[in-house]
Amino acid sequence: AQSVSQHNHHVILSEAASLELGCNYSYGGTVNLFWYVQYPGQHLQLLLKYFSGDPLVKGIKGFEAEFIKSKFSFNLRKPSVQWSDTAEYFCAVRGLNDYKLSFGAGTTVTVRA
Amino acid sequence: EAGVAQSPRYKIIEKRQSVAFWCNPISGHATLYWYQQILGQGPKLLIQFQNNGVVDDSQLPKDRFSAERLKGVDSTLKIQPAKLEDSAVYLCASSYRAGASYNEQFFGPGTRLTVL
């Protein structure tokens, strides 16, 4: 069975600071990788995804993530956060054998103005 | 285009009562998912439909949970009887079709259930 581990439960930082959220997964096969974001009072929405090719993927709102296959990791980064980046961030993995999406527990990011 | 619709948004019931949630997926989406998200955890898949057939219900507690998707469009998820540990947000998602690596799941706003 696949599992997803997010390293941080809650991250607090100031505007303009850099953000990096860790995500590791376990799965014995080829995977697709996702980061979802949930802004306060809104529904889950896709931030970025990795299927194949360049392991550095860029998403919306200046976010990017790097897939490191040897480390089973898919860390999310943003060089300079804004107050509006305050949200909960979920890493998710989908195995290509069963197409089932498994989520991590999420990381709450609070950006102070 | 309209997103995934869910109702109600909030529900409070007492244990042993029954409750039902409704989901209307994005028009044309063949695949529909129900997830349970307990506070402090990520969403967990309960059941997946492809049109009106069940693809995966391995994590659905079938002694108390049931779901249907008549006519392959709207879906209802029912809990009967509810337990305290069923308190969670129930998310519905849809995608164009399953089994394709490029598919994106679109999520609804969820129904927050509190069982007292």
Side-chain angles (χ1 to χ4, degrees):
Chain A
Q2 59 208 42
S3 66
V4 183
S5 174
Q6 291 186 239
H7 305 164
N8 308 97
H9 181 64
H10 194 179
V11 173
I12 302 172
L13 58 166
S14 300
E15 278 192 310
S18 63
L19 171 70
E20 180 160 0
L21 302 182
C23 173
N24 286 90
Y25 68 93
S26 67
Y27 186 75
T30 305
V31 296
N32 297 149
L33 298 157
F34 306 83
W35 276 97
Y36 282 85
V37 61
Q38 188 167 24
Y39 298 103
Q42 297 187 27
H43 55 271
L44 270 171
Q45 54 187 287
L46 186 66
L47 198 55
L48 49 79
K49 60 191 176 190
Y50 171 80
F51 288 155
S52 63
D54 189 345
L56 184 62
V57 293
K58 296 190 184 299
I60 59 173
K61 305 187 180 185
F63 284 90
E64 64 179 31
E66 184 176 12
F67 170 49
I68 303 179
K69 189 175 181 180
S70 61
K71 295 184 178 180
F72 298 90
S73 70
F74 190 54
N75 293 353
L76 180 71
R77 297 193 292 255
K78 185 170 183 177
S80 177
V81 296
Q82 300 173 312
W83 176 81
S84 57
D85 293 323
T86 294
E88 190 157 18
Y89 294 80
F90 293 92
C91 180
V93 173
R94 181 173 64 195
L96 293 190
N97 290 337
D98 56 17
Y99 293 99
K100 187 178 295 185
L101 197 60
S102 296
F103 286 84
T107 298
T108 301
V109 173
T110 302
V111 180
R112 292 178 171 162
Chain B
E1 109 188 321
V4 177
Q6 290 187 247
S7 68
R9 292 295 308 277
Y10 304 92
K11 189 74 176 177
I12 301 174
I13 62 172
E14 295 189 349
K15 59 183 179 183
R16 291 188 290 272
Q17 287 187 320
S18 62
V19 65
F21 313 127
W22 173 82
C23 172
N24 181 240
I26 293 172
S27 177
H29 280 192
T31 310
L32 185 147
Y33 313 79
W34 283 102
Y35 290 86
Q36 179 192 57
Q37 186 177 10
I38 293 172
L39 186 65
Q41 301 180 19
K44 182 185 81 172
L45 180 69
L46 291 176
I47 188 167
Q48 176 183 336
F49 291 94
Q50 179 76 12
N51 296 310
N52 60 349
V54 175
V55 174
D56 185 350
D57 64 357
S58 58
Q59 300 207 83
L60 187 74
K62 298 181 188 62
D63 57 333
R64 299 183 298 107
F65 285 65
S66 64
E68 60 182 10
R69 191 184 184 198
L70 301 176
K71 301 181 181 178
V73 182
D74 294 5
S75 177
T76 56
L77 176 70
K78 296 179 182 178
I79 308 175
Q80 181 179 12
K83 292 185 176 182
L84 296 177
E85 58 261 36
D86 298 331
S87 293
V89 175
Y90 291 85
L91 297 168
C92 180
S94 70
S95 64
Y96 180 64
R97 62 186 177 96
S101 62
Y102 51 82
N103 261 329
E104 177 183 344
Q105 292 186 26
F106 295 84
F107 285 82
T111 297
R112 183 177 297 276
L113 173 68
T114 302
V115 182
L116 303 176

